[in-house]
Amino acid sequence: MNIVVLCGGISTEREVSIVSGTGVCKALRAAGHRAILLDVYFGEESVDLMNAFPENYDVDEAAAYIRSLNEMIDSATSNPNRGFFGDNVIKLCRMSDIVFLALHGENGENGKLQAAFDLRKIKYTGTGYIGSALSMDKGLTKTVLQAAGVPVPRGKVLRADEKDMDVSDLELSWPVVVKVCCGGSSVGVYIAHDEEEYQKALDAAFLLEPEVVVEQYIKGREFSVGVIDGEALPVIEIEPKTGFYDYKNKYTAGATIETCPANLTGEQARRMKQFAERAYRALFLEAYGRIDFMMDASGAMYCLESNTLPGMTPTSLMPQEAASLGINYEKLCEKLIEVSLKKYE
């Protein structure tokens, strides 16, 4: 197949997206597909549309070119008349058999791109615009999951004009978690142990977004469950060597101990996978996704959030879960395309 692997963009997760896209593009090339790597925001100004998906292609060279554009982001985004899609992006995506979305955060996962592609009849991997929008907004996610019977931590969505509310007014106790509603990769997530830390966390979060989620901190073990075509993969446990599972620990090799299958009883694993599958359905996810959990000392489970375009970097969780079933990275990339194409049957 001719495949565009779409990465980059202007979110805080641009670099992670480039790493994911590079890995996916190499895997699809190794599997015999004519895949190309493309930055969604800058695109490619000079492209031979008659040979857009060449037989011979240097993925690393394409990734290096995309990274070279990083220094242009500030000036490009300051132009109020500039659109989101870069040079020839729509043309190349329409020429492809499917677009593999290796985007993370903001306009890659919030449903806007998916809706634009739907209108243009461009096929793409992963969830459609409704599930993407629901999952991107952590406040909406919490509301939907509660209604579906999936346990979530107590909490509330705050606007900037509500930042003076005390933690006790929110019916919470220290410590609490403050996180932006629509961030990803744990960007804009803070743990506050007292009033001073809480106010600093709110100030930092509101610099990023106009709404934030404040919720009860759950002390315990952290897990993630990938779901492909509605069926949960083996549970993986995440144990950062220091701190919590933030951006640095997620993407620094060796910073986190990841165990798959997780050391859980059979009943615990079954329940968590059931919750993951229920969350997948409640949030209108399609093709694949990843659901994150905490479990406290009593064994109570809490769903933290949903990821509609899980990372595909060397340290990412879904590839590790698939590997525990004997599905290597290359086969996983093809599997994600296979289940995504079902949307268009």
Side-chain angles (χ1 to χ4, degrees):
M1 288 192 289
N2 292 336
I3 302 170
V4 170
V5 179
L6 210 54
C7 71
I10 55 175
S11 83
T12 52
E13 298 167 82
R14 175 178 170 85
E15 177 56 29
V16 180
S17 172
I18 296 171
V19 176
S20 284
T22 301
V24 169
C25 195
K26 286 182 177 180
L28 294 175
R29 280 262 157 191
H33 301 287
R34 295 197 176 195
I36 61 172
L37 192 64
L38 189 65
D39 187 318
V40 65
Y41 189 69
F42 290 103
E44 195 168 336
E45 187 175 3
S46 301
V47 59
D48 179 5
L49 295 177
M50 298 298 293
N51 187 33
F53 300 90
E55 182 176 355
N56 297 311
Y57 183 80
D58 191 327
V59 179
D60 287 323
E61 182 179 317
Y65 168 72
I66 291 171
R67 286 192 175 91
S68 73
L69 302 170
N70 290 356
E71 60 189 31
M72 298 172 57
I73 290 177
D74 287 343
S75 60
T77 53
S78 65
N79 180 357
N81 298 316
R82 194 188 192 288
F84 179 69
F85 293 108
D87 295 322
N88 292 306
V89 168
I90 297 299
K91 285 183 180 179
L92 289 167
C93 289
R94 295 192 72 171
M95 291 171 64
S96 70
D97 294 304
I98 191 168
V99 178
F100 195 112
L101 297 182
L103 297 164
H104 304 310
E106 203 174 335
N107 291 324
E109 287 189 85
N110 63 11
K112 294 180 181 180
L113 178 143
Q114 287 80 0
F117 277 13
D118 287 344
L119 289 172
R120 292 171 169 84
K121 298 189 182 302
I122 295 171
K123 297 177 181 179
Y124 56 88
T125 57
T127 290
Y129 72 95
I130 294 176
S132 297
L134 284 175
S135 296
M136 190 67 186
D137 189 309
K138 295 178 178 64
L140 286 175
T141 295
K142 182 184 287 288
T143 300
V144 170
L145 293 182
Q146 281 179 317
V150 178
V152 295
R154 296 195 318 278
K156 179 178 172 58
V157 177
L158 294 184
R159 301 184 306 274
D161 60 359
E162 298 175 300
K163 63 184 295 185
D164 292 333
M165 290 185 68
D166 292 333
V167 166
S168 59
D169 294 333
L170 304 177
E171 299 182 357
L172 304 176
S173 58
W174 306 115
V176 297
V177 177
V178 177
K179 56 188 179 184
V180 295
C181 271
C182 297
S185 284
S186 296
V187 175
V189 177
Y190 312 92
I191 299 174
H193 297 83
D194 54 37
E195 185 65 29
E196 182 180 358
E197 290 183 359
Y198 177 60
Q199 289 302 323
K200 286 181 179 178
L202 287 178
D203 289 342
F206 280 123
L207 285 176
L208 297 173
E209 290 184 16
E211 291 187 335
V212 304
V213 173
V214 181
E215 62 186 18
Q216 189 65 55
Y217 173 74
I218 306 299
K219 183 177 181 180
R221 299 162 66 190
E222 187 164 359
F223 303 88
S224 190
V225 184
V227 182
I228 298 179
D229 203 17
E231 184 175 345
L233 297 174
V235 180
I236 187 168
E237 181 168 5
I238 307 149
E239 299 176 85
K241 292 180 178 177
T242 59
F244 69 104
Y245 197 48
D246 59 6
Y247 186 95
K248 180 180 179 181
N249 283 327
K250 282 184 178 181
Y251 300 113
T252 302
T256 302
I257 300 169
E258 290 145 356
T259 306
C260 187
N263 184 20
L264 294 169
T265 67
E267 173 60 18
Q268 287 173 329
R270 184 188 66 81
R271 284 179 57 227
M272 193 173 291
K273 289 166 73 172
Q274 281 186 334
F275 283 139
E277 291 171 359
R278 189 183 300 177
Y280 178 95
R281 294 190 298 270
L283 292 166
F284 297 95
L285 269 59
E286 299 171 277
Y288 59 96
R290 204 191 75 225
I291 316 296
D292 297 337
F293 292 90
M294 290 294 297
M295 186 173 76
D296 67 19
S298 72
M301 299 174 185
Y302 301 88
C303 184
L304 300 181
E305 63 178 85
S306 164
N307 300 272
T308 54
L309 291 176
M312 293 291 285
T313 75
T315 60
S316 293
L317 303 178
M318 182 172 276
Q320 295 185 59
E321 293 177 72
S324 73
L325 294 176
I327 304 171
N328 65 24
Y329 187 89
E330 182 181 306
K331 292 296 183 184
L332 175 61
C333 292
E334 290 198 290
K335 177 71 172 176
L336 299 184
I337 289 174
E338 176 190 324
V339 296
S340 296
L341 284 172
K342 288 185 178 182
K343 294 184 296 182
Y344 305 101
E345 292 177 353

